[in-house]
DNA sequence: TACCACGGTTCAGTGAATGAACTAGGGTGG
DNA sequence: CCACCCTAGTTCATTCACTGAACCGTGGTA
């Protein structure tokens, strides 16, 4: 972080977190990784993000331990990016931020509906199942599907795959 | 948002939220407002933020309905910034992000400890009281105090006031 | 061999953030 | 009356972050 003023003067954990995830595009990369996106090209197409930014963000997240880089083929060499346990725990802030937006910034209904894999109940902003009451649901216990407010006009592979219900963390597309 | 590429291609609530709160410094301004900081000079001193950035962020947050600008004196004219109901609901993402940082990015103990005003129990990352089980605690039911990991080397008025337990949303310093 | 797909890298140009200085409207004290 | 102080901004040249467009390297395929 090279800007003249960084958050060093802030001895607080929020600032530490924001130094890592607060740069433009980073939270959306993390969100996509939690949905199950793994490959550079899929992040690129789904997020419509500049290539250099995506490369740099992935490097940063791997170095920080949020994502893990894994070889999925040797010829030619190809890596994918998988959330670590540390990265999976960012699900809660991602959910809280997204639900705030659903509640306050959405003029149509919910764009994405998150439900509990085991009982089908809706998930609230604290990752609690409103159906059965299960709390602290990790991402692999959550299914995402389109809500009534989602405009379905994207045709990249990830957007197409997310037209169907999809369990978080399962590879996409 | 004038960068060549914005988040318009992302029909998702997380992107809508990040367009508002994702700019550099904004989440820290909101965090301070939730702690109870009200005045331009106090945000300025506590955050050590460039003046022009603070002015612009406050304007944006007022226009978006997250903060409300209120006259606190007429001669000379002086306004303060108070979280709206919409702004107070950002407490949950702020807490979730901060707690993630406490858990994964802190080499010493907790910098800030959040507890339930009514029973004194600790608050977890979902705004649930670990003492009595009360859920969805709003900020005005939460008290913040320094934790064992906080370096107490700041001497601006807000930092000094936060050396004592402080109920969120109560004006600071 | 030419073309394609993939996962990057490079770089000039544009926009955001920054430090430093300045402004306006009061209030206070000598 | 004037000088100084405080507060809440505003201005602007400079630096840094992001971007579009082009390019690169390593394979695989027809």
């Amino acid at each position: 972080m090279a800007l003249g003023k960084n958050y060093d003067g802030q001895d607080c954990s929020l600032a530490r977190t924001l130094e890592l995830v607060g740069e433009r595009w980073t939270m959306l990369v993390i969100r996509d990784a939690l949905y199950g996106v793994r490959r550079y090209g899929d992040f690129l197409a789904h997020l419509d993000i500049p290539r250099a930014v995506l490369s740099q963000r992935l490097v940063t997240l791997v170095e920080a331990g949020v994502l893990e880089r894994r070889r999925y083929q040797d010829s030619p060499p190809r890596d994918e990016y998988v959330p670590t346990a540390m990265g999976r725990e960012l699900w809660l802030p991602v959910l809280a931020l997204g639900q705030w937006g659903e509640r306050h910034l959405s003029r149509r209904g919910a764009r994405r509906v998150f439900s509990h894999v085991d009982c089908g109940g809706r998930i609230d902003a604290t990752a609690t199942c409103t159906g059965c009451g299960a709390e602290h649901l990790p991402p692999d216990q959550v299914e995402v599907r389109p809500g009534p407010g989602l405009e379905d006009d994207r045709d990249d592979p990830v957007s197409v795959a997310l037209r169907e219900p999809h369990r978080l963390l399962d590879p996409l597309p």
Side-chain angles (χ1 to χ4, degrees), chain A residues 52-107:
Chain A
V53 172
L54 178 58
S55 297
Q56 195 265 327
R57 296 295 185 275
L58 290 171
V59 166
T60 298
L61 291 171
V62 168
E63 284 172 357
V66 170
L67 299 180
E68 183 184 1
R69 190 171 179 157
R70 288 188 190 156
R71 184 60 42 101
Y72 72 86
Q73 106 181 7
D74 280 317
S75 222
R78 292 281 182 262
D79 293 339
E80 61 184 8
Y81 298 87
V82 181
T84 61
M86 179 180 176
R88 292 195 291 278
E89 284 184 41
L90 278 165
W91 162 240
L92 191 58
V94 164
L95 179 66
L97 283 163
Q99 294 301 96
W100 185 89
E102 293 274 351
R103 187 177 167 84
H104 293 289
L105 302 174
S106 183
R107 275 184 300 260

Side-chain angles (χ1 to χ4, degrees), chain A residues 4-37:
Chain A
K5 203 158 261 183
N6 55 30
Y7 294 155
D8 274 355
Q10 302 293 317
D11 186 24
C12 80
S13 298
L14 180 62
R16 300 281 80 68
T17 302
L18 292 172
E19 278 173 346
L20 176 56
V21 308
E23 285 180 306
R24 189 167 159 78
W25 293 109
T26 305
M27 287 296 293
L28 290 171
V29 171
I30 291 164
R31 191 281 311 276
D32 267 13
L34 291 171
Y35 275 2
V37 181

Side-chain angles (χ1 to χ4, degrees), chain A residues 91-92 95-96 99 123-130 134-138:
Chain A
W91 162 240
L92 191 58
L95 179 66
Q99 294 301 96
I123 307 282
D124 76 8
T126 66
T128 297
C129 176
T130 57
E135 299 183 324
H136 303 105
L137 288 172

Side-chain angles (χ1 to χ4, degrees), chain A residues 37 41-47 154-164 171-173:
Chain A
V37 181
D42 293 324
F43 285 108
L44 193 72
H46 187 235
L47 294 173
R154 299 286 304 278
D155 62 356
D156 63 279
V158 173
S159 296
V160 171
L162 286 175
R163 289 176 191 161
E164 305 303 321
L172 268 179

